[in-house]
Structure formats: C-alpha cells, structure tokens
Amino acid sequence: MAPDHSTLPVESEGEDKMVAIEADSQHVETAKAVHNERPVWEERETYGKAGFLGIFTNKYVTVCAAFATMGGALFGYDQGVISLTLVMDQFIEKFPEVGPDAAGGGFKKGLLTAMIELGAFLGAMNQGWIADKFSRKWSILVAVVVFIIGSAIQTASMNYDMLVAGRFVGGVGIGMLAMVAPLYISEIAPPEIRGTLLVLQELSIVTAIVAAFYTTYGTRFIPSEWSWRLPFLIQIIPALFLGAGVPFLPYSPRWLSSKGRDDESLEVLAKLRGLPTTDERVLREWFEIRSEVQYRKERSEETYPGLHQGGKLNRFKLQILGYTDCFRPGAWKRTHVGIGLMFFQQFGGVNALIYYSPTLFATMGLNREMQIDMSGVLNICQMVACFWSLWGMDRFGRRPLLLGGATCMVISHFIIAILVGKYQSSWATHATEGWVSVAMLFFFMLTYGATWGPIPWAMPAEIFPSSLRSKGVAFSTMSNWFNNFVIGLITPPLVQNTGFGAYVFFCVFCLLAFIWVWFVVPETNGRTLEQMDHVFQDNTGEVEAARRARIETELASHVWVGGIPGNGSARPAGQV
C-alpha cells in the first residue's frame, strides 16, 4: 500500500530532508530485496490471489493474454485438420503420392506433415528480431499476414508440390505466432498468475485441435474436394479476427522500457494492473523493470563498446550478437533449459500420437471408424488435462509437474510397447489387451496435457533476461519446430517398420526427460522475470551485485522522490 503522506513533518526544511532521505533509503533497501529465489508472495503484497483465482482480479491482462494465444490456436487447428485429412479418400484421390500403396508414400506423407514445422522453425528464428524492433504486438500482425497467405495457397492447391509450398509458408506464420504469444504474455502478466496465463497458449492449441478434428470429421462426408479444402479455408477466419484485434492490444511495458519509453511503460503497466500509477506495487514492478533494462544496457555497452554509437550496421550487428549471447556465460544455462524442454516435449511422442493416431490405433486392432472416433477422444483428453493445468501450474509449480508427468509417460509407453509387441498380430483374439493399450494411450495424453504440454511453452518465456528474451524464446521455439519436424518424418516409417518399437523409442526419451529435469531444471513458479538471475545463479558475483546496487540506488531516488511514490518522473532513453 502507498504510505500516508499527510503525516510527514513540515516544521523545518532540515527535518523534511531527513524524512525524505530516510524514506528513500527504505525504498532502496526494499528494492534490493528482490534479488533472491523466493516467490513474490513471500516478499511483498501481490496484485491478487495466486494461480487460477488470480485471473478474476486481473481481468484486463487475462483478456489480453487470451486474445494473444489465438496464434497458438492456428497451429492447433492445423494439427487437428491434417490428422484426419491424411486418411480422407477424397484427399488421397487428389494427392495419390501420400496413399498407403504409393511408392515412397510414407516419406511423402511425413514430409507433408513436417513441412509446416520446417517453415515454423524459420518463422520463429526471424520473429526474435522482429519482436524486438517493431514490438511484441505488431510482430503478431506480421505473422498473421504470412499465415493467411499460406492458408490461401493450401486451400487452392492443385498438386502435391503446391500443397507442400503452402504448408511451408503457413508454417512460417505459425512459427512466428507461437513464438511471440508466450513472450508477450510473460511480459504483461503479474508473477503470481503468469503460469496460469501461459497455460492459455497450450489450451488454445489443444482446443483448436479438437475443434479442427471434428470440423474435418464432418466435412469428410462432402463428396468433393471441398471435404478437405473447406477446413483449410476456415482457418483464415480466426487469423483475420486476430489481425483486426492487434491494434487494440497494449504494448509490453518491458519492451517500452527497453526503448526508453519509461513514462509510457508506467502508464501501460498501471492499466494492465488496473491500478493508479502511484500504487506502491505498480511502482515497485516498474522500478524492477527499469533497473533490469539499465543493468543489461550497461553490460552490453561494456561487452560491445563500439556498437552502441548508432547506425544501421551497428544495430544489425547487435541483433546478430543477441542470438550468440544466448550461448554465453550468464545465459547458456537458460538456453539449455529452453531448448531441452522443447526437445523432450516432442520426443515424448505426443505429436506422433496426434498426427498419426488413426494409424496407431490400427496397430491396436481397431477398425477404421473406431480409429477415427478414438482419435477424437484422444484430443479431448489432452484438452481436459490442459484445463486442469490452469489450476495446477501455479499451484504445484513447474518442476514437480515435469517430473511427475515424465514418470507417468514412461509407464504408459512401456505398457503399450509390451502389449503391442506381444499381440499386434492377434488382436482379434485379444480384444481386452487392445483396449488396455487404448486406455494407456488416453492416460498418456491426460498426463501430457497437464504437464509436458503447457510447461515447455511457459518456461522459456520466463527465464531469459530482458535483453535476450525474444532471442531465447526464439531458440526454444525453434527447438520445438525442428524436433517436431524430425518426429513428423520418422514416425510413419517407425510405426510401419517396427510396430511396438515406436513406443519403446518414446519410452526411452521420456525416461531421459525425467533424469534431465531432475538435474537441470529449476523452479520458476512465483518468481518475477527480474529474479531469474538468482534462480539460475547467474550474474550474482560481487562485481555484478555492486553494479546492480548502484543502478538501483540511483533509480530509486527518481522513482520515490522525497519518499513519495510516483513523485519522480521517468527519464529519457539512456538515463536512470
């Protein structure tokens, strides 16, 4: 709460100064207390309740976050569409190259599925500098335009090559959107509900998967090419809606501060929190944002002294070096965590199950219609579990959920591998075992949807420092798409040639994921973005501590002039 200034003594100028100095000192000391690993609710008054209940006291930021995640929904929609489209008779008739009897059909089917991931890889890579230069919110609009072009090409495809090209262009747009949405959400969210809001990214993906699956489930009865063209066309509608809404989204206050627009940063932050600019909690967060920006700016000027003199070439070089800095001391551990989470998310086998679920159910002895029905139920399981994680993410934390999820996923794959290996040639006489395999597949999806589904999307957006956040999230998202691409290519021949071997393969990687999380991944639940240096034990030596203390002391005297919150004005770019 802001202090009561009416009680300040006014008898003499000397007493006034003494009170002001004492108040300033208290604020400086309070500001320094943020440099630890403790959750924010143990340090100070929060903006509201932590976790799911907190979204009801932070309505505006919740609406902004939910709207931004429509980009994730576009990726999810594609996943749901392609899984059923690949087995449509009308689609195979138009593109016989991916038919079950075509020479090299398995590879071409995998390439068609994986091409969108390859495009997304490049999209995510480029979105890092676009989001830094043009802002988080306007980079969403750029991505929407690219996605709409790709969707139009897919809808109008007349041959296999054109369809592959359309999926590549659409993939570039999807990669851009999927990278920037969690980045934007992490920078506008209060720390006590950040995990819950970041779950919205995964929730939008899985909800769109279900919606797309059943849309395609219905259109498959259309006796023409519109049975598969219509689902591709429909995905343009939410993209247009997202593009139209971008101008109404607020800027990220952290991006504004990085550009020296500190007054605007404070105004936007106060609007996001639904509080006045003089509120002590808003000022404290603004203070932390500005001090972190100034700290990173000083370190960059020290590391690259010749590149901060202005000029397009220097700015270009700094953007490139921003990518390489993600692998330098002070950041490489976070890059390792971001890339590793996305790697194990994909090699846990989830997208193999989504893309090729009808094929996988066929290995368990289900007939064609039941294969399609069970694929729909599989997607619903993931969606239900993701709704649970809206509550569980900030309730239990990231690390325990990752460990528990990996354990359950190992069990699921192990049991399925045994049953498929033993009975895949005699399901007709072992129907019970077949349904046990199906049940374990559902158990896997419930577990994944609550743990390894949302967390790898959430954590990379939390862990990187302000100067590297967009690049670090880009690398993490690129890991997702690259590994998704690999999985899309290897799954068809893996299932076709090994049967139960596919489940053994994914089981081993789920076990490796457990071991890796145990030794590498820290807990970020409830910590501010500016606390991550201490979470990862980076930049915490005596020299860096002294640098931070100096920056914070200078900045605090401007934020709290005379001990009065908000009495100091934001300084121009490059000043504290």
Side-chain angles (χ1 to χ4, degrees), residues 519-564:
F519 289 104
V520 174
V521 180
E523 182 57 73
T524 60
N525 185 31
R527 281 71 173 178
T528 67
L529 300 183
E530 289 69 37
Q531 281 180 276
M532 293 302 158
D533 271 358
H534 286 262
V535 171
F536 282 88
Q537 297 299 307
D538 287 328
N539 306 314
T540 55
E542 290 184 7
V543 174
E544 298 307 319
R547 188 202 302 269
R548 287 185 184 277
R550 173 181 54 78
I551 291 171
E552 291 167 3
T553 301
E554 294 172 357
L555 183 57
S557 66
H558 294 302
V559 175
W560 290 282
V561 174
I564 302 176

Side-chain angles (χ1 to χ4, degrees), residues 79 82-84 86-87 98 105-115 117 167 213 349-364 371 375 378-379 441 484-496 503 506:
Q79 283 187 307
I82 202 65
S83 66
L84 201 52
L86 289 173
V87 295
V98 299
F107 175 79
K108 289 187 176 181
K109 183 178 180 180
L111 181 63
L112 182 64
T113 303
M115 188 53 64
E117 278 77 42
R167 288 185 63 74
F213 182 87
V350 64
N351 280 330
L353 300 182
I354 293 173
Y355 284 141
Y356 305 108
S357 52
T359 304
L360 293 173
F361 282 125
T363 67
M364 298 174 182
Q371 293 167 23
S375 296
L378 192 68
N379 292 329
L441 211 52
N484 206 333
F485 173 77
V486 172
I487 290 296
L489 281 178
I490 68 174
T491 298
L494 191 64
V495 173
Q496 193 174 44
Y503 301 102
F506 294 130

Side-chain angles (χ1 to χ4, degrees), residues 255-536:
W255 180 83
L256 288 170
S257 189
S258 73
K259 299 301 180 183
R261 295 159 63 176
D262 292 316
D263 285 325
E264 193 177 350
S265 172
L266 177 59
E267 293 291 336
V268 170
L269 184 63
K271 183 178 181 181
L272 286 166
R273 303 296 178 257
L275 295 167
T277 56
T278 54
D279 185 271
E280 183 73 21
R281 292 165 294 179
V282 173
L283 284 171
R284 170 64 178 271
E285 187 175 2
W286 184 55
F287 168 82
E288 291 171 354
I289 291 170
R290 290 182 62 190
S291 63
E292 173 70 8
V293 167
Q294 183 62 23
Y295 171 76
R296 297 295 168 183
K297 183 174 183 291
E298 283 194 13
R299 292 213 42 192
S300 179
E301 289 174 344
E302 198 174 83
T303 307
Y304 307 113
L307 299 181
H308 287 269
Q309 309 304 318
K312 291 183 179 179
L313 182 59
N314 284 342
R315 288 195 294 270
F316 174 76
K317 289 179 179 178
L318 283 173
Q319 287 290 343
I320 298 300
L321 289 169
Y323 285 98
T324 62
D325 283 347
C326 290
F327 296 93
R328 295 181 184 274
W332 72 266
K333 288 189 287 186
R334 311 180 204 203
T335 306
H336 175 202
V337 168
I339 291 176
L341 283 169
M342 290 299 194
F343 171 84
F344 284 113
Q345 184 195 57
Q346 294 307 311
F347 275 80
V350 64
N351 280 330
L353 300 182
I354 293 173
Y355 284 141
Y356 305 108
S357 52
T359 304
L360 293 173
F361 282 125
T363 67
M364 298 174 182
L366 275 61
N367 61 45
R368 181 180 173 81
E369 202 62 30
M370 187 60 74
Q371 293 167 23
I372 295 174
D373 290 340
M374 289 298 101
S375 296
V377 176
L378 192 68
N379 292 329
I380 291 174
C381 285
Q382 186 181 5
M383 184 178 70
V384 170
C386 199
F387 271 106
W388 177 88
S389 64
L390 282 173
W391 172 76
M393 176 78 85
D394 284 323
R395 174 67 178 81
F396 298 104
R398 286 56 157 165
R399 183 178 161 86
L401 290 180
L402 287 172
L403 292 171
T407 301
C408 294
M409 289 156 62
V410 166
I411 294 170
S412 301
H413 281 309
F414 184 71
I415 293 175
I416 293 173
I418 292 174
L419 293 175
V420 172
K422 192 172 182 179
Y423 301 112
Q424 62 182 344
S425 59
S426 58
W427 288 120
T429 56
H430 296 90
T432 301
E433 288 82 357
W435 283 107
V436 170
S437 298
V438 171
M440 294 311 299
L441 211 52
F442 292 155
F443 177 65
F444 171 91
M445 194 58 80
L446 286 168
T447 300
Y448 171 88
T451 58
W452 281 88
I455 295 175
W457 286 108
M459 282 195 72
E462 300 178 309
I463 59 180
F464 289 96
S466 59
S467 59
L468 300 179
R469 189 167 296 125
S470 65
K471 274 79 171 181
V473 174
F475 275 122
S476 303
T477 311
M478 287 159 62
S479 172
N480 176 283
W481 299 120
F482 177 77
N483 291 299
N484 206 333
F485 173 77
V486 172
I487 290 296
L489 281 178
I490 68 174
T491 298
L494 191 64
V495 173
Q496 193 174 44
N497 299 326
T498 69
F500 76 95
Y503 301 102
V504 174
F505 177 83
F506 294 130
C507 180
V508 170
F509 277 99
C510 288
L511 179 60
L512 292 175
F514 179 93
I515 297 170
W516 177 77
V517 169
W518 182 271
F519 289 104
V520 174
V521 180
E523 182 57 73
T524 60
N525 185 31
R527 281 71 173 178
T528 67
L529 300 183
E530 289 69 37
Q531 281 180 276
M532 293 302 158
D533 271 358
H534 286 262
V535 171
F536 282 88

Side-chain angles (χ1 to χ4, degrees), residues 30 33-48 50 191-192 284 288 394 523 525-528 531:
T30 302
V34 74
H35 299 302
N36 55 59
E37 300 177 58
R38 294 192 292 273
V40 68
W41 49 79
E42 294 182 8
E43 291 293 308
R44 59 178 184 262
E45 183 184 1
T46 61
Y47 292 107
E192 61 269 18
R284 170 64 178 271
E288 291 171 354
D394 284 323
E523 182 57 73
N525 185 31
R527 281 71 173 178
T528 67
Q531 281 180 276

Side-chain angles (χ1 to χ4, degrees), residues 148-162:
I148 289 174
I149 293 172
S151 297
I153 296 173
Q154 290 178 74
T155 304
S157 292
M158 300 305 296
N159 54 56
Y160 177 80
D161 293 338
M162 185 176 178

Side-chain angles (χ1 to χ4, degrees), residues 124-135:
M125 179 173 64
N126 280 286
Q127 188 72 323
W129 69 266
I130 293 173
D132 274 349
K133 182 173 178 59
F134 299 107
S135 83

